[in-house]
Structures are given as structure tokens and as C-alpha cells.
Amino acid sequence: MANSPQARKRARQSEKRRSHNASLRSLVRTNIKNVLAAVKSGDAEQAQAAYTKAVPVIDRMADKGIIHKNKAARHKSRLNAQVKALAA
């Protein structure tokens, strides 16, 4: 356990940030799952709407550093491919 006052403060800050970042990561995963569920259901219109809603969330988390920018691009690319395949 942290002994100095500054180490205790850093531990408090780290825990606060960790829990906040965890909720943001969960938000990204939820949006991705919503798109995948819409694709699985076979509804192209609903899948496109879910994808359109998910993209800004994914980008925002990449900008904040919650997820890596390449991971964000990979998710967007794969989801878009699935949505387009469904529409075709």
C-alpha cells in the first residue's frame, strides 16, 4: 500500500481514472455488440443505423486514448464490411 501522501493521492486518482475508463470501454463494446446483433438479425436498415451510431463513439474513445486508433479503425472497417455485405 502507498505510504507517502503523494503516493496515496496517485492511488486515488488512478482508481478513479480506471473506473471511468472502464465505463467508456464498456460503452464502445456495447455499441459494437449492437451493430453485430443487428447484422445477425438480417435487418440491413437497423444494422446501418446501429453502425452510424457506433462510429462516433468509437472515434471519440480513440481520440481519448481509451482504445488505440488502429483498433478503432479495425473495428469500424470490419463492422462496415458486415453491414455492406448485408445490404448487398
Side-chain angles (χ1 to χ4, degrees):
M1 185 62 204
N3 289 322
S4 66
Q6 64 193 29
R8 281 190 220 109
K9 181 177 179 180
R10 291 301 295 170
R12 285 195 309 270
Q13 290 174 326
S14 294
E15 177 57 29
K16 187 175 179 181
R17 286 196 183 101
R18 186 192 67 76
S19 63
H20 185 250
N21 290 343
S23 70
L24 295 178
R25 261 192 309 277
S26 174
L27 182 67
V28 172
R29 291 186 189 126
T30 300
N31 278 277
I32 290 170
K33 285 176 188 173
N34 289 343
V35 177
L36 293 175
V39 167
K40 193 172 183 180
S41 73
D43 186 359
E45 210 172 286
Q46 185 183 359
Q48 182 61 46
Y51 176 74
T52 305
K53 187 178 174 192
V55 168
V57 174
I58 295 170
D59 284 336
R60 200 162 48 244
M61 295 312 139
D63 288 342
K64 290 183 178 188
I66 303 300
I67 59 173
H68 195 275
K69 63 186 178 80
N70 290 354
K71 181 176 182 172
R74 182 174 67 242
H75 277 301
K76 290 191 304 183
S77 175
R78 289 179 181 172
L79 290 174
N80 193 33
Q82 290 180 357
V83 170
K84 280 188 174 182
L86 190 62

